[in-house]
Amino acid sequence: MSENILVTGGAGYIGSHTCKVLAQAGYSPVTLDNLVYGHPWAVRFGPFVQADLLDRATLDRAFDEYRPSAVLHFAAFTYVGESVTDPGKYYRNNAAGTLTLLEAMRDHGCGRMVFSSSCAVYGLPQALPLTEGHPQAPMNPYGVSKAMSERMMADFGLAHGLRSVCLRYFNAAGADPEGGLGEDHDPETHLIPLAVEAALGKRPPLQVFGSDYHTPDGTAVRDYVHVLDLAQAHVAALRYLESGEANDASPCSAFNLGTGRGASVAEVLAAVAAVSGRAVPHTMGPRRAGDPPMLVAQAELAEKVLGWRPAYTDVLEIIRTAWDWHATGRGAVLLDS
Ligand code: UFG
């Protein structure tokens, strides 16, 4: 029988794609999600437990019933701006939620975890590309909640033998080219879905947040990484933990996940136009508070240690999958409903 893997947040964007890749790799994903932002339609690859991470009794029942060999922990609130105005919501759900999960894992003897972390743990870059050793000075409670979770995992490693991997995503983007899974946030704040939906005429014109940055074209630069590549990295991290390479000397490791290539907001809009054959209606606006001008990953450590390399290295190809999802995949149906 294949191993059960508990996937918190498995009904969300990155979690659901990872469940699909896990199933393809021969694992049995068990999704645990409170459905605050996750979607029942995205749970398609194994059993589902509807529960909040802070609900310890239900967590205990899930561990008793499924006896997972590892946990992939995606469940988190991710709206950076909201984390500034309502920090308690983020510390409770993301930080206290992780703590509750870690204690449940300890008490049920589940000793492996892969965590959805973020480049937000670094804060404003002092040097680019960002390496895993860059100082951590997160600029908002969302980033702090991720850094706190990483720290808890390291401490549980020292005290209780937890073996864990923190995957620091840069900008997750794109969709499963087979059409059944994709990005569907409510509210949507991310650049690529907003640009695609504006091009489709299903949203008002996009506002470009800042055109006076010290970047080649004045707009902000990000490292967009395909959601299926992120999913593959989780399987690679799981295998790394199973191999026993994580040990007492290094119980908790962190890896950047990006392509190492930046794309500016203007380049993203041009790519959406090229893929769709439609201009993206937009206006120029002021900078968004707290946005760094440029974030690009140095992702060689993930390649060296996990053997992970992104299959999608061209932002145009990433955007093509996002376009297909919103224009013709299930995303199109969701947009119209
Ligand atoms: N942008 C616009 N207009 C919009 C939306 C975004 O110009 O309407 C710009 C942003 O200013 C930024 C870029 O497009 O320069 C990308 O913005 P996203 O909101 O898509 O993504 P962020 O880089 O702000 O955020 C991502 C993740 C967060 C994570 C953060 C780490 O979504 O979860 O990276 O920096 F915390």
Side-chain angles (χ1 to χ4, degrees):
M1 229 178 67
S2 57
E3 277 174 55
N4 285 338
I5 308 293
L6 188 69
V7 183
T8 77
Y13 172 43
I14 308 170
S16 60
H17 285 79
T18 304
C19 285
K20 178 171 181 175
V21 170
L22 278 172
Q24 287 169 341
Y27 294 99
S28 295
V30 177
T31 291
L32 186 136
D33 199 301
N34 60 10
L35 296 184
V36 170
Y37 292 112
H39 307 289
W41 57 258
V43 183
R44 296 174 33 207
F45 307 96
F48 175 53
V49 180
Q50 184 171 352
D52 198 283
L53 279 183
L54 294 163
D55 174 0
R56 177 66 201 261
T58 309
L59 273 185
D60 284 338
R61 280 198 295 278
F63 277 100
D64 281 340
E65 182 172 354
Y66 294 104
R67 307 202 168 277
S69 60
V71 174
L72 303 193
H73 176 32
F74 296 90
F77 294 152
T78 61
Y79 293 104
V80 173
E82 183 188 57
S83 80
V84 176
T85 54
D86 191 359
K89 179 171 173 179
Y90 282 70
Y91 290 126
R92 183 174 310 283
N93 186 70
N94 297 6
T98 300
L99 177 59
T100 309
L101 176 65
L102 284 169
E103 288 179 327
M105 290 175 69
R106 176 198 63 199
D107 295 346
H108 290 269
C110 180
R112 295 179 193 142
M113 174 155 161
V114 183
F115 175 57
S116 256
S117 191
S118 166
C119 62
V121 299
Y122 298 120
L124 197 62
Q126 295 172 8
L128 287 165
L130 282 151
T131 62
E132 287 82 356
H134 186 283
Q136 292 191 18
M139 293 160 68
N140 47 64
Y142 166 76
V144 176
S145 74
K146 291 288 177 182
M148 288 169 78
S149 298
E150 286 197 8
R151 181 58 198 256
M152 287 183 229
M153 290 161 62
D155 288 341
F156 272 63
L158 295 175
H160 308 301
L162 179 77
R163 300 290 180 254
S164 63
V165 168
C166 302
L167 297 176
R168 296 178 182 156
Y169 315 152
F170 281 65
N171 285 57
D176 176 9
E178 288 177 4
L181 295 172
E183 194 164 7
D184 183 31
H185 295 119
D186 187 16
E188 186 55 83
T189 61
H190 295 100
L191 177 65
I192 291 175
L194 289 179
V196 164
E197 291 171 16
L200 283 166
K202 297 195 170 163
R203 281 191 189 267
L206 177 107
Q207 192 179 145
V208 174
F209 296 144
S211 50
D212 58 349
Y213 284 110
H214 290 294
T215 57
D217 62 25
T219 63
V221 171
R222 295 288 182 273
D223 185 337
Y224 296 93
V225 54
H226 198 272
V227 64
L228 280 181
D229 283 326
L230 296 179
Q232 293 291 357
H234 289 76
V235 174
L238 210 46
R239 293 196 170 131
Y240 165 80
L241 293 175
E242 286 166 359
S243 74
E245 282 180 77
N247 51 37
D248 283 349
S250 156
C252 178
S253 314
F255 301 97
N256 286 339
L257 297 182
T259 62
R261 297 177 191 199
S264 70
V265 173
E267 286 170 331
V268 167
L269 300 193
V272 173
V275 161
S276 64
R278 306 175 190 210
V280 180
H282 65 277
T283 58
M284 292 298 179
R287 295 180 182 192
R288 186 170 65 180
D291 266 354
M294 191 178 298
L295 292 172
V296 178
Q298 157 80 266
E300 283 167 16
L301 193 64
E303 179 171 0
K304 194 170 145 224
V305 179
L306 303 179
W308 176 82
R309 271 177 93 147
Y312 289 83
T313 52
D314 181 352
V315 76
L316 195 90
E317 295 309 321
I318 295 175
I319 288 173
R320 194 185 304 283
T321 67
W323 172 265
D324 289 347
W325 160 253
H326 291 287
T328 58
R330 185 192 290 262
V333 179
L334 293 166
L335 259 181
D336 291 333
S337 62

